């Protein structure tokens, strides 16, 4: 058999016992094992079991050879993990065909393993680059906050330096609102990054729902006036304080209100409501805007998600605001959802627990 295989162009190594075969396999690379069943020291079944139990050797294909032309022997070898079985005396054509088939499978598997290792290496490198990019981005965003805060402080101080004309007041207001919007986006980015890392700590206090809603409305009031929108509220007088991070809760409402104002046409209405639904409190922001297609309900909460309205065909860029809302609500142990119909407005609702467990 060895001479026949060498004539066919294969490199052949011969072991005179099962134990010697295992020693050779552990020190040299092989592509295929032709394994006799009857051998001294360790028989073929035992060698096969050792091979398949070894993580480094188990993927080498094994063809069992024996003069025992019995079905039980064949079945036992296949069950242990042999690729194939050849009876003695050897049929040259069958021998060549089965060896070639096993070697081809080995080559394909080796190629898959090499490709998988390359993919893993590339994936690890990509993760390292993404981590570096995120770290650099977060550092830049964090550093932007200081000069932006200084600009806003300077603009707001100008109002105290003397009387301004109506046009000057209008331009100053535009600049301040633009700066506050940009500062809000920076804060959202930083908080989203911390929430993704699991490092954001909420600062719980007893928050009055009506008070936090009114503060949020104040921040979008000028935007609503510019579009001649009506801002209304439905807030029961007996709403109890709820444990929450007041800053995050206000920013959730500001983002939802800002989104509603942005996509509500002139003369429309935006309504904020809150009600007690023990053991939770429900907040809702409703608008009379274009509405959102139902198939986009989940996508709008993704980072930089965009939704195309059927009526106008324009892109509704939701940026980071709704992503922040979702993550901040979930950080409070709550949930957020949207109900909408194209052409009939949208209602964004979220609930948070009434007590901190």
């Amino acid at each position: 058999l060895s001479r026949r295989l060498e004539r066919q162009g294969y490199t052949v190594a011969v072991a005179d016992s099962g134990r010697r075969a295992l020693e050779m396999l552990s020190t040299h690379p092989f592509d295929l094992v032709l394994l006799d069943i009857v051998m001294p020291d360790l028989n073929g079944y035992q060698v096969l079991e050792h091979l398949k139990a070894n993580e480094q050797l188990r993927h080498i294909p094994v063809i069992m050879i024996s003069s025992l032309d019995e079905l039980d022997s064949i079945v036992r070898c296949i069950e242990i993990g042999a690729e194939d079985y050849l009876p003695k005396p050897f049929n040259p054509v069958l021998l060549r065909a089965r060896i070639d088939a096993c070697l081809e499978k080995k080559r394909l598997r080796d190629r898959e393993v090499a490709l998988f290792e390359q993919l893993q290496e590339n994936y690890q490198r990509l993760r390292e680059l993404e981590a570096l990019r995120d770290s650099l981005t977060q550092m830049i965003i964090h550093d932007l906050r200081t000069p932006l805060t200084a600009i806003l402080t300077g603009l707001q101080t100008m109002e105290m330096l003397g009387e301004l004309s109506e046009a000057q007041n209008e331009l100053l207001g535009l600049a301040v609102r633009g700066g506050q919007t940009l500062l809000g986006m920076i804060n959202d980015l930083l908080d989203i990054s911390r929430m993704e890392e699991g490092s954001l700590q909420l600062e719980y206090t007893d928050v009055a729902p009506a008070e936090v809603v009114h503060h949020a409305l104040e921040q979008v009031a000028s935007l609503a006036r510019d579009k001649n929108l009506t801002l209304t509220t439905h807030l029961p007088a007996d709403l109890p304080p709820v444990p929450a991070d007041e800053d995050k809760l206000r920013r959730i409402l500001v983002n939802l209100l800002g989104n509603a104002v942005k996509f509500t046409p002139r003369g429309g209405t935006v309504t904020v409501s809150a009600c007690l639904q023990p053991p939770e409190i429900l907040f809702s922001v409703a608008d009379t805007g274009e509405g959102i297609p139902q198939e986009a309900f989940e996508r709008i909460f993704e980072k930089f998600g965009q939704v195309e309205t059927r009526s106008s065909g324009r892109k509704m860029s939701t940026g980071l605001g709704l992503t922040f809302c979702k993550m901040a609500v979930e950080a409070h142990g709550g949930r957020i959802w949207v109900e909408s119909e194209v052409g009939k407005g949208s209602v964004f609702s979220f609930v948070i627990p009434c007590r901190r467990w």
Side-chain angles (χ1 to χ4, degrees):
L1 176 59
S2 179
R3 289 194 299 272
R4 182 191 298 274
L5 293 173
E6 287 173 346
R7 285 198 300 270
Q8 293 177 354
Y10 299 111
T11 301
V12 181
V14 179
D16 55 7
S17 72
R19 196 170 301 281
R20 176 61 183 151
L22 291 174
E23 291 173 359
M24 293 171 62
L25 285 163
S26 64
T27 56
H28 297 85
F30 288 92
D31 296 309
L32 176 65
V33 173
L34 299 179
L35 183 60
D36 210 331
I37 291 180
V38 178
M39 294 188 299
D41 198 2
L42 294 176
N43 63 34
Y45 301 124
Q46 292 170 310
V47 173
L48 183 59
E49 288 171 347
H50 277 81
L51 283 175
K52 296 308 173 182
N54 188 307
E55 191 64 34
Q56 281 72 43
L57 304 178
R58 64 185 307 172
H59 300 298
I60 302 175
V62 178
I63 296 178
M64 303 301 299
I65 54 176
S66 177
S67 57
L68 301 176
D69 191 11
E70 298 177 359
L71 182 61
D72 289 346
S73 298
I74 297 172
V75 171
R76 182 177 175 186
C77 293
I78 299 300
E79 286 177 344
I80 296 174
E83 288 287 329
D84 213 331
Y85 184 94
L86 281 171
K88 296 178 184 178
F90 303 109
N91 179 301
V93 177
L94 185 61
L95 175 67
R96 181 63 181 261
R98 291 189 174 175
I99 287 178
D100 285 349
C102 283
L103 289 175
E104 180 61 22
K105 287 175 68 175
K106 174 70 164 45
R107 279 192 290 269
L108 289 173
R109 188 194 171 279
D110 288 347
R111 219 173 305 157
E112 288 177 358
V113 169
L115 178 60
F116 180 71
E117 290 174 351
Q118 184 64 46
L119 287 173
Q120 280 193 315
E121 184 180 333
N122 291 343
Y123 176 66
Q124 182 61 34
R125 179 60 179 157
L126 180 61
R127 290 189 63 180
E128 291 171 359
L129 291 173
E130 286 181 341
L132 181 63
R133 180 204 62 193
D134 291 344
S135 178
L136 179 62
T137 302
Q138 189 169 353
M139 181 183 68
I140 293 172
I141 292 170
H142 187 274
D143 289 347
L144 282 173
R145 190 161 53 175
T146 300
L148 180 57
T149 302
I151 293 170
L152 281 170
T153 302
L155 290 172
Q156 291 165 338
T157 304
M158 287 179 64
E159 298 175 333
M160 300 182 289
L161 297 179
E163 191 172 341
L164 301 176
S165 68
E166 184 178 344
Q168 289 172 328
N169 269 318
E170 183 179 354
L171 291 173
L172 183 61
L174 285 172
V176 170
R177 289 197 296 274
Q180 288 173 336
T181 300
L182 184 55
L183 184 60
M185 292 170 63
I186 289 173
N187 289 333
D188 285 350
L189 271 170
L190 291 173
D191 282 344
I192 287 171
S193 177
R194 284 194 287 264
M195 283 187 280
E196 286 177 334
E197 294 171 356
S199 61
L200 181 70
Q201 298 294 321
L202 298 181
E203 298 179 6
Y204 280 93
T205 58
D206 287 335
V207 179
E211 186 175 333
V212 76
V213 166
H214 288 306
H215 286 164
L217 286 169
E218 288 174 0
Q219 289 192 237
V220 300
S222 59
L223 296 174
R225 282 195 299 271
D226 292 342
K227 295 184 68 175
N228 194 29
L229 301 180
T230 301
L231 298 178
T232 63
T233 61
H234 293 307
L235 302 169
D238 58 348
L239 283 176
V242 294
D245 184 314
E246 184 172 2
D247 174 67
K248 303 299 184 294
L249 183 56
R250 175 183 51 79
R251 283 167 56 192
I252 292 169
L253 290 166
V254 168
N255 277 319
L256 294 179
L257 284 165
N259 194 65
V261 168
K262 182 177 180 181
F263 296 111
T264 299
R266 297 183 65 82
T269 301
V270 175
T271 303
V272 188
S273 60
C275 66
L276 198 60
Q277 294 184 350
E280 298 170 322
I281 184 167
L282 168 69
F283 292 89
S284 294
V285 175
D287 63 60
T288 57
E290 300 177 31
I292 303 167
Q294 186 172 357
E295 62 270 17
F297 283 3
E298 291 298 324
R299 195 165 72 251
I300 59 175
F301 292 108
E302 296 175 358
K303 270 187 180 180
F304 311 110
Q306 286 192 326
V307 176
E308 183 174 307
T309 61
R310 291 172 180 163
S311 56
S312 62
R314 72 186 183 94
K315 295 283 187 181
M316 298 173 62
S317 175
T318 56
L320 292 168
L322 293 180
T323 303
F324 169 81
C325 292
K326 182 177 186 294
M327 297 185 74
V329 167
E330 290 175 351
H332 279 83
R335 62 191 187 282
I336 188 170
W337 67 94
V338 61
E339 298 169 278
S340 181
E341 187 176 344
V342 175
K344 295 186 178 180
S346 306
V347 181
F348 283 85
S349 304
F350 68 93
V351 292
I352 59 172
C354 291
R355 56 179 296 191
R356 187 181 177 192
W357 299 97

